[in-house]
Amino acid sequence: MSSTRLVTLLGAAVRHQRHLRDLNQRQLAALAGVDQAAVARFERGERAPTIPVLERLFAAMDVQLVIGVEPLDAHLDTQIDDLAARPIAERIDALCLDRLLDRLTDFPQVITGCAAALLQGAPVPVDALEIALRWQDSKPFTRWLETNYGQRWNARWGEFGGVWLEPEEPGEHLWSTRYGEIRATMCDELPETIEVRHGGRSYQVVPLVELELSEPRAAELLRRYRDQQLASDR
């Protein structure tokens, strides 16, 4: 694990614990006796806190940091194993995809990325509903986001909010909404899809073979899943 990634993970852990306690950065800084600007830099992954400062930040939130080592990205293999052991209906229910899809009726879209792979039976982790969306539908999508308390991922701050919602504006195409997170792949025309059915419901999804060509994260997770299957068969 590189030091840059470790700094990012530490910052994400501080931010996550802070959000769980409904604290803003200024409040956490006051509790830990550190500068608010330093907390902001830590959470953005711009600067690594010293061990004593890190311990004070976590202690201020009544938690402590536990250090361990594992193979690179071993958590992904663990997640894949856990998902593979669960029925596909349970995997889908855990994502609450239907609740979000039922409200995405203002513009055409299709399911892509890891969400599409999971719906086709691949036990890959999904952190957001991933959709392919046409550029010509960006305005109704933006209006939908405004109506449903959308916030766009702010890479500089390492959290949602503080940037323009519109897909045309610079930034990652990831939004949080009142119904869950959405990651969009913007395109001129929607990709070809296949229909899959689960629990009496139909889903239009990008086929696995196309995902492996066009969606790098989905392709990597599918490769890890196949590698695990090969290793277990030996």
Side-chain angles (χ1 to χ4, degrees):
M1 181 182 292
S2 69
S3 60
T4 299
R5 187 178 179 200
L6 179 59
V7 170
T8 300
L9 289 172
L10 289 172
V14 171
R15 183 175 64 251
H16 177 66
Q17 292 298 324
R18 177 172 63 79
H19 285 173
L20 288 177
R21 289 155 181 78
D22 292 325
L23 295 171
N24 60 37
Q25 291 178 344
R26 189 178 302 278
Q27 290 169 324
L28 174 58
L31 289 170
V34 301
D35 185 69
Q36 185 269 334
V39 174
R41 288 194 295 271
F42 297 157
E43 291 191 357
R44 292 197 297 265
E46 295 177 357
R47 179 179 173 184
T50 64
I51 296 299
V53 169
L54 194 60
E55 288 180 330
R56 280 157 54 193
L57 287 169
F58 283 122
M61 297 182 285
D62 296 321
V63 293
Q64 64 182 1
L65 184 66
V66 177
I67 303 297
V69 296
E70 61 180 20
L72 286 173
D73 293 326
H75 66 289
L76 293 176
D77 294 330
T78 299
Q79 285 181 284
I80 290 171
D81 282 340
D82 290 344
L83 287 167
R86 298 162 62 186
I88 188 169
E90 187 177 321
R91 301 178 213 162
I92 295 171
D93 288 345
L95 296 174
C96 299
L97 289 181
D98 293 349
R99 183 179 68 158
L100 185 46
L101 288 169
D102 285 341
R103 289 161 176 84
L104 287 174
T105 57
D106 296 351
F107 44 85
Q109 86 284 152
V110 298
I111 303 173
T112 187
C114 297
L118 185 138
L119 286 167
Q120 291 172 81
V124 296
V126 179
D127 58 7
L129 171 62
E130 295 158 274
I131 60 172
L133 177 70
R134 297 181 302 180
W135 281 110
Q136 70 186 62
D137 296 315
S138 63
K139 284 186 170 51
F141 178 54
T142 301
R143 289 195 295 270
W144 185 90
L145 290 168
E146 292 170 343
T147 301
N148 292 284
Y149 307 107
Q151 290 187 306
R152 193 172 183 180
W153 179 252
N154 187 326
R156 181 178 179 185
W157 293 354
E159 59 186 31
F160 289 100
V163 291
W164 295 101
L165 286 177
E166 291 83 353
E168 294 84 357
E169 295 291 335
E172 188 173 352
H173 289 143
L174 174 64
W175 295 263
S176 69
T177 76
R178 67 191 299 180
Y179 302 113
E181 293 182 11
I182 298 176
R183 189 185 303 277
T185 297
M186 305 302 299
C187 51
D188 292 327
E189 296 296 334
L190 294 179
E192 295 294 323
T193 63
I194 60 173
E195 180 184 49
V196 296
R197 296 186 65 85
H198 296 289
R201 178 163 188 147
S202 172
Y203 302 89
Q204 294 297 321
V205 302
V206 176
L208 287 177
V209 65
E210 293 298 328
L211 293 176
E212 296 196 74
L213 294 174
S214 60
E215 297 286 345
R217 176 166 172 76
E220 169 61 17
L221 290 171
L222 287 167
R223 182 193 64 77
R224 295 184 77 93
Y225 170 53
R226 293 195 182 103
D227 288 347
Q228 285 181 242
Q229 285 185 307
L230 287 172
S232 65
D233 290 340
R234 290 183 185 137

